[in-house]
Amino acid sequence: MGAYQHITVDDSLGPVGAEVSGVDLSQPLSAQVVEELHQAWLAHHILFFHDQDLSPTAQAQFAANFGELDQYKFMQAVEENPYVIPIIKEADAKLNFGGGWHTDSSYQAIPPKATVLYAVEVPPEGGDTLFANATSAFAALSDGLKDSAVAWQGVFSPKLVHGSGGFYKSEEAEENLGNAYGGDDGYAESEVRHPIIRTHPETGAKSIYCGMAHTVNIDGWSREDSLPIFRHLTEHLTQDQFVTRFQWRQGSLAMWDNRCVFHYALNDYHGHRRHMHRVTIKGDKPI
Ligand code: SIN
């Protein structure tokens, strides 16, 4: 438990993240509560809440305490609020959204610093999300790999998942996910360069930032040469010692720091519906 005046913080769930209680997120929060939540978030990288009751607009208002809201290009927002996207897997769908290790929208020139995910409806069992601590994982690399990797820039792109040959462009995925982006402005094939190891702008800590879903290659390397590095870093990052498994209930909310956390939505609840609402908060250019 941490030394907070206005919130209760329990970090016993796993290697990353902490459960916060004593706050009703549907109400306006005082500056002191927001500051304590922010400090707890920087310390633990993810805040988990249970038993909340949030309309899309209340969720967006909560998220706006921590920065300007971002808009996700690859899905339609809910009708009530342009910043809230529905992530729904119907009972008869096979594929899910976010079912691979990634950090949200790392292919954007300015990727979102945070994601705020709220559980509207959850299956009776399964549908948990795994979260990996990319800061601890970086710290545990051998010194030689750390020294090399901090010098590498990566080419990041939505094309691996949202581009013409990407996972979310398959007929089955489009049918299952329902609301996939149909834009043809070239964005889905665009590329940006970010460090493979990024430095957190608020804490100064370094974290693994490349991943199999969004990083095409190390700048100046072929994809064939880059892939074994990405695979190795992903396998390293996703070892049990860095991973917390979060079990959602209806009304749970998680707010994670995309600058130092990877996540993976498990797809193990066939025959049941799962319905989440997601909001993202703008970040800075990774350095
Ligand atoms: C996501 O990858 O943003 C969704 C995670 C989840 O649905 O658990």
Side-chain angles (χ1 to χ4, degrees):
M1 305 275 175
Y4 298 93
Q5 306 279 312
H6 303 279
I7 58 175
T8 303
V9 178
D10 175 0
D11 65 0
S12 63
L13 191 62
V16 63
E19 189 178 326
V20 177
S21 52
V23 201
D24 178 353
L25 304 182
S26 69
Q27 299 302 311
L29 302 178
S30 68
Q32 292 94 321
V33 170
V34 171
E35 180 52 24
E36 288 199 356
L37 290 173
H38 184 228
Q39 290 310 323
W41 184 62
L42 290 179
H44 300 288
H45 308 332
I46 315 164
L47 299 183
F48 300 114
F49 303 81
H50 288 298
D51 305 320
Q52 302 295 324
D53 184 6
L54 295 177
S55 66
T57 296
Q59 181 183 352
Q61 280 167 347
F62 165 68
N65 284 304
F66 303 95
E68 197 184 335
L69 302 187
D70 209 352
Q71 269 173 315
Y72 185 63
K73 267 203 135 183
F74 291 107
M75 288 207 188
Q76 302 292 330
V78 298
E79 243 173 56
E80 303 96 296
N81 193 289
Y83 297 105
V84 180
I85 62 154
I87 296 179
I88 299 174
K89 182 172 177 251
E90 298 292 354
D92 61 353
K94 290 202 176 63
L95 303 177
N96 73 332
F97 179 80
W101 284 106
H102 66 287
T103 175
D104 285 330
S105 304
S106 58
Y107 45 72
Q108 286 182 195
I110 310 285
K113 67 176 177 186
T115 300
V116 177
L117 190 67
Y118 174 68
V120 179
E121 181 181 350
V122 295
E125 271 177 46
D128 299 348
T129 305
L130 305 178
F131 292 95
N133 189 332
T135 305
S136 305
F138 173 75
L141 290 173
S142 60
D143 288 342
L145 180 50
K146 277 187 200 158
D147 290 348
S148 299
V150 292
W152 294 332
Q153 290 287 306
V155 176
F156 290 68
S157 174
K159 67 183 160 197
L160 299 174
V161 283
H162 297 288
S164 51
F167 174 77
Y168 292 129
K169 291 307 279 184
S170 73
E171 207 174 300
E172 193 182 8
E174 288 195 353
E175 252 171 45
N176 280 193
L177 299 170
N179 52 359
Y181 174 68
D184 58 359
D185 56 3
Y187 176 60
E189 306 289 335
S190 64
E191 292 182 347
V192 294
R193 278 159 179 74
H194 294 317
I196 292 292
I197 306 299
R198 75 175 287 183
T199 303
H200 198 290
E202 296 183 80
T203 66
K206 290 193 179 344
S207 300
I208 295 171
Y209 196 57
C210 62
M212 303 297 291
H214 301 161
T215 323
V216 182
N217 57 280
I218 298 171
D219 201 14
W221 295 35
S222 67
R223 179 149 169 84
E224 189 190 7
D225 289 346
S226 308
L227 272 176
I229 299 278
F230 299 155
R231 261 194 216 104
H232 172 65
L233 291 174
T234 303
E235 281 167 16
H236 171 76
L237 165 72
T238 57
Q239 295 173 88
D240 287 353
Q241 76 221 59
F242 304 123
V243 174
T244 294
R245 181 177 184 138
F246 183 61
Q247 202 172 359
W248 298 91
R249 303 181 210 147
Q250 185 184 346
S252 301
L253 180 140
M255 175 167 115
W256 63 83
D257 190 334
N258 283 307
R259 301 166 295 189
C260 54
V261 172
F262 277 65
H263 60 281
Y264 185 128
L266 293 173
N267 186 7
D268 57 354
Y269 51 96
H270 301 300
H272 297 283
R273 189 171 195 268
R274 182 177 185 270
H275 178 180
M276 316 293 277
H277 281 165
R278 191 177 90 158
V279 175
T280 48
I281 305 175
K282 285 186 181 173
D284 339 78
K285 170 99 186 107
I287 50 168

